[in-house]
Amino acid sequence: LVQMPLPQDELASVQASLAALWVEEREILSASQAFLEAFETAPTSPHAASRLINAARLSGEAGKPKMALELWTRLGLHFPDHGPLAAVGQGEIYLAEGDVQAALSLFEDASHTAINADLEAVARFGAATCLERLGNLDGALAEMDFIDLPEEVLLQRREGIRHRQSIGGGAF
């Protein structure tokens, strides 16, 4: 017995394909909306979470931070196992918008709950960036010790922070 795909799954696949075409054409907001439509058409599809992630990322890229925040929140609510990723996405937006304290809280939460080393590293790097911007250079350096990034990247960041410490640099 062959199980036929449900019509909404087929429609969602078409919408996701359209979104991919919009990405190729650099029509980022249209791509985001098409991924969101694909998610909403088939919210129980095995591809639903990735469609919502794409919609959230592209919304932020399109300069729609409020929409992106809403989509990241939705991701965390609908797919709790993606909560740390949602927190990192939200943290990146808050950091870009200048709300460093809110971003720090999100990055710290994500770093403690991340289920893979790559996401934990991104969250810790975000936290270190926030601590540095808040003028907590010792905290930023301590956070950098937990990040598994290429050594040359870490050395460059540590040198920059230590230089700011030596000249008495605070928040920027």
Side-chain angles (χ1 to χ4, degrees):
L1 183 68
V2 175
Q3 187 173 359
M4 298 298 292
L6 297 172
Q8 64 265 28
D9 288 339
E10 290 178 6
L11 177 57
S13 290
V14 170
Q15 291 165 322
S17 295
L18 178 61
L21 291 173
W22 284 122
V23 169
E24 286 180 23
E25 294 296 319
R26 301 301 303 155
E27 294 290 337
I28 303 304
L29 187 56
S30 295
S32 173
Q33 291 168 335
F35 275 122
L36 179 58
E37 289 170 9
F39 164 74
E40 290 175 340
T41 298
T44 59
S45 162
H47 305 288
S50 65
R51 291 171 179 159
L52 193 51
I53 290 166
N54 286 332
R57 283 186 175 145
L58 292 168
S59 293
E61 196 176 316
K64 300 290 185 183
K66 184 177 177 189
M67 181 178 170
L69 282 171
E70 291 171 8
L71 294 174
W72 285 122
T73 299
R74 200 167 172 186
L75 177 72
L77 292 173
H78 285 275
F79 304 97
D81 55 322
H82 288 292
L85 177 62
V88 166
Q90 292 170 319
E92 289 172 347
I93 293 166
Y94 280 118
L95 186 58
E97 296 286 306
D99 191 344
V100 180
Q101 200 63 51
L104 177 60
S105 177
L106 288 159
F107 287 133
E108 286 176 339
D109 287 347
S111 73
H112 298 304
T113 57
I115 57 175
N116 69 58
D118 291 339
L119 185 58
E120 181 182 355
V122 170
R124 286 189 178 277
F125 195 79
T129 301
C130 292
L131 290 168
E132 184 179 358
R133 288 196 184 173
L134 291 169
N136 183 348
L137 303 179
D138 289 332
L141 281 171
E143 197 66 48
M144 297 293 281
D145 289 337
F146 292 102
I147 302 173
D148 185 26
L149 289 174
E151 194 60 33
E152 62 273 4
V153 173
L154 289 176
L155 286 174
Q156 184 178 15
R157 286 288 296 190
R158 284 186 188 121
E159 282 180 27
I161 293 170
R162 286 191 182 110
H163 176 71
R164 289 189 53 221
Q165 277 182 319
S166 69
I167 61 172
F172 61 96

